[in-house]
Amino acid sequence: MKKQFMKHAALFMSVSMAAITLMGCGSAGKTSETKQTTQSAAETSATGGDGAPVTLRFSWWGSDSRHGALLDVIDAYQAKNSNVKIEAEYQGYDGYYEKIMTTLSSNTAPDIIQLNKEWLPDIQGAKHYLADLSTLPVDLSTLKDRLLEISGTYNGEANLFPCTVGGSPVVYVNADFAKEFGIDLTKNYTWAEIAELGKAVHEKDSDAYLMTADADMLNRLFIQPYLVQKTGKPIIDEETYTPNFTEADAAEAFQNILNLYQSNALEPFGDAATFAGQMDQNTKWINKKIGMIVDYTGSAPKYLTSVDSPLEVISAPVMENAKSTGVVYGGDRGFSINDNSANKEEAAKFLDFLMNDPEAIKIQKTAVGYCPTQKAEDILIAEGSVDELQKKAIDLVAKDPYINNMISGNTELEVVRKDLIQEVIYGDITPEDAAKELLEQYEEILGQLKTK
């Protein structure tokens, strides 16, 4: 067990050191700038002009479709603002968090940064690294009802402009695969039924698997929802900083993952790991040898373009007698402005263009995120750019979600879970021992977080 744990310890250490570095920078109070009204922010966000030359750095993660859309928006903005040059810094998801934490602590962070909302406590809890958007020329009033409050506010400040609304998990299904293997897409499956269905699929075709997942998917879209389904609560109590689940609950969640592999419902982990963060490029998925992928509603565009088969979307599996769907709804990510940027005003003007300008909305369509503003939804529905698959996925997660909290998405906790999931898969540790170690490490981490 210890030998295998050390194989994954490097990631844990990199995250921990980044967080410690941030904390070591001390605390800072909120910005002293006078807050503008939403109206005045909108009035000052108009693009165009021949001001002094400005270079902005813009960092994000994502798939090729997101990269292409954002690069096109940058071109459109620069065409209207000849004095502004925007340097794009983009990559896949792996390593992005560690990179941003390091650049923030060393004061080398980009001006505009894509962030996951769960990272706000790690960042703003350490120091005032992110600007209060309500003090800058970006119109926040366009966001859908309560979206800023739920997904973009930390400690009373608007630090993140959500770039999407949706949730997770949902299941994308290749309709041709479903037809070939006689899969009923009208029913809501339990985890046990998924294991049995996957077993039948693989017995019929030894090259085929019902599902595939990388470590992040298993962590966030299998384990975490399973624990919420079991308890009906977020995995961590934000008042007491203690887990809402028991050791037995955790062992059951780990065993569920193991059952899916042992039944051949899931593609072997080593094969899937080749496409970590890019499961739409998995060759078995493309070649109709994988039928289902559990993912976020925002992933619909990349799956639609990855195969030549029609796709369907169904609700995520639940356990029998579940106390919750385990589904979250809101805006999981968005864009922030570096509070140490020398060009916060110009960065805010670009952010306003990115999220509120009709031209930018039409360029992005839903590649960057699904319609966080009513303006975006109205524009894209009118021009027929809202895909029915993604709309259906969002309708599914909006039916009966639970209210999550930010502490439950803490990155250190996620790293521990992800390491232990892999140890269970490789047989280096039993689900029971993994559950015990999970709670032991959680107790230590949560104790430290509670005192910060």
Side-chain angles (χ1 to χ4, degrees), residues 27-96:
S27 299
K30 295 181 181 179
T31 177
S32 61
E33 297 178 38
T34 302
K35 292 189 176 181
Q36 302 173 356
T37 63
T38 300
Q39 182 179 1
S40 64
E43 287 171 351
T44 58
S45 65
T47 59
D50 300 310
V54 173
T55 297
L56 300 173
R57 292 166 56 212
F58 178 21
S59 178
W60 72 85
W61 81 85
S63 62
D64 288 344
S65 60
R66 188 182 301 171
H67 299 334
L70 288 173
L71 290 170
D72 287 345
V73 171
I74 289 172
D75 287 344
Y77 187 79
Q78 290 180 150
K80 291 185 174 184
N81 298 269
S82 57
N83 64 308
V84 179
K85 178 183 178 182
I86 299 175
E87 297 177 347
E89 302 175 9
Y90 53 95
Q91 62 177 74
Y93 182 80
D94 282 356
Y96 183 87

Side-chain angles (χ1 to χ4, degrees), residues 166-173 191 211-212 217 220-222 225 229 285 292-301 303 312-317 325-329 389-399:
S168 65
V170 293
V171 183
Y172 296 101
V173 187
W191 288 109
M211 289 183 168
T212 188
M217 289 172 160
R220 296 174 179 169
L221 304 174
F222 287 67
Q229 291 168 12
W285 165 257
M292 297 181 175
I293 298 182
V294 182
D295 212 326
Y296 298 86
T297 58
S299 296
Y303 291 122
E312 294 288 343
V313 62
I314 62 175
S315 298
T325 61
V327 168
V328 294
Y329 175 76
L389 183 76
Q390 188 166 15
K391 189 174 186 305
K392 183 179 178 181
I394 291 171
D395 290 343
L396 284 174
V397 297
K399 280 183 179 178

Side-chain angles (χ1 to χ4, degrees), residues 18 22 59-61 89 91 95-106 108-110 112-115 119 123 130:
L22 281 175
S59 178
W60 72 85
W61 81 85
E89 302 175 9
Q91 62 177 74
Y96 183 87
Y97 170 82
E98 293 82 5
K99 171 186 170 184
I100 292 302
M101 294 290 273
T102 300
T103 59
L104 284 168
S105 65
S106 62
T108 58
I112 307 111
I113 316 168
Q114 183 184 29
L115 297 173
W119 301 345
I123 295 171
L130 306 177

Side-chain angles (χ1 to χ4, degrees), residues 55-215:
T55 297
L56 300 173
R57 292 166 56 212
F58 178 21
S59 178
W60 72 85
W61 81 85
S63 62
D64 288 344
S65 60
R66 188 182 301 171
H67 299 334
L70 288 173
L71 290 170
D72 287 345
V73 171
I74 289 172
D75 287 344
Y77 187 79
Q78 290 180 150
K80 291 185 174 184
N81 298 269
S82 57
N83 64 308
V84 179
K85 178 183 178 182
I86 299 175
E87 297 177 347
E89 302 175 9
Y90 53 95
Q91 62 177 74
Y93 182 80
D94 282 356
Y96 183 87
Y97 170 82
E98 293 82 5
K99 171 186 170 184
I100 292 302
M101 294 290 273
T102 300
T103 59
L104 284 168
S105 65
S106 62
N107 199 24
T108 58
D111 301 277
I112 307 111
I113 316 168
Q114 183 184 29
L115 297 173
N116 193 314
K117 73 171 185 178
E118 278 83 11
W119 301 345
L120 292 181
D122 290 353
I123 295 171
Q124 290 297 79
K127 189 177 178 181
H128 200 276
Y129 285 106
L130 306 177
D132 182 350
L133 298 180
S134 69
T135 69
L136 295 170
V138 54
D139 187 356
L140 304 174
S141 69
T142 58
L143 283 161
K144 290 180 177 176
D145 186 42
R146 296 193 66 219
L147 187 57
L148 182 64
E149 176 189 348
I150 294 170
S151 302
T153 301
Y154 180 75
N155 227 11
E157 278 191 0
N159 297 133
L160 186 81
F161 194 118
C163 65
T164 187
V165 64
S168 65
V170 293
V171 183
Y172 296 101
V173 187
N174 185 310
D176 289 341
F177 183 101
K179 183 177 181 180
E180 178 183 353
F181 291 96
I183 298 172
D184 183 0
L185 299 183
T186 66
K187 69 174 294 180
N188 295 326
Y189 287 95
T190 65
W191 288 109
E193 288 171 336
I194 287 292
E196 286 301 312
L197 183 58
K199 180 180 180 182
V201 165
H202 192 66
E203 286 177 348
K204 184 176 179 179
D205 182 349
S206 61
D207 289 331
Y209 296 90
L210 182 63
M211 289 183 168
T212 188
D214 61 27

